[in-house]
Amino acid sequence: MDLPGEGQGLALVPGRECGSCSLCCILPDIAEFDKPANQPCRHCLPGGGCDAYAARPATCRDFYCLWRIDPTLGPEWEPRVSRMMLYAQGAQLTVLVEPAAGAMWREAPYIDLLEERARTLKADGGYVVVYAGEDVAVLKG
């Protein structure tokens, strides 16, 4: 099963902008910039944005968090609210959680949707993997 935006011709959800959110510049590791996970990229600007936007690598250029492309995610999934960033990789849903948010992802309403997605992805051999600081959890449905 493809999640919205994965292999379907990307369509942004109207009204969902990055704004001041920079979680995609903080939470993942970015090999092209030798940037470890959970540390701001050296190009990340305070308040949002990138000082290397025009020359950013394909990893950054091709990335959209799932909240921006999946209309089924409610307002509670907006990264500044949830303190999480979701993205799809084939039959895998990856969730990166701000380390300071700890186990917030295990609480309602977040765990409900993550378990539902894990059950759906299981049919295609997929799963949900959650990275929260040093902790990693896999939901297999």
Side-chain angles (χ1 to χ4, degrees):
M1 168 195 166
D2 285 336
L3 291 172
E6 179 73 18
Q8 301 176 12
L10 186 64
L12 298 175
V13 177
R16 293 193 180 177
E17 303 295 330
C18 296
S20 63
C21 181
S22 295
L23 288 183
C24 64
C25 300
I26 298 168
L27 298 180
D29 62 284
I30 302 173
E32 292 89 342
F33 292 134
D34 196 29
K35 188 202 97 51
N38 301 315
Q39 293 184 18
C41 174
R42 67 180 178 266
H43 298 288
C44 185
L45 298 171
C50 173
D51 71 6
Y53 190 80
R56 69 197 186 283
T59 299
C60 301
R61 188 176 306 278
D62 297 339
F63 179 80
Y64 286 93
C65 78
L66 208 55
W67 181 78
R68 295 216 41 220
I69 59 176
D70 183 348
T72 68
L73 294 176
E76 68 277 9
W77 285 99
E78 196 271 325
R80 288 171 292 204
V81 174
S82 67
R83 301 175 68 190
M84 295 177 238
M85 183 186 84
L86 286 67
Y87 61 95
Q89 295 175 294
Q92 174 182 317
L93 173 63
T94 300
V95 182
L96 303 180
V97 183
E98 282 184 17
M104 186 173 164
W105 68 272
R106 294 183 184 270
E107 300 171 9
Y110 306 112
I111 190 64
D112 301 328
L113 183 125
L114 295 176
E115 288 176 340
E116 174 189 320
R117 293 282 172 105
R119 285 189 296 275
T120 302
L121 292 167
K122 185 177 182 176
D124 291 329
Y127 53 90
V128 173
V129 63
V130 180
Y131 296 91
E134 298 297 318
D135 297 328
V136 179
V138 177
L139 307 176
K140 295 185 178 182

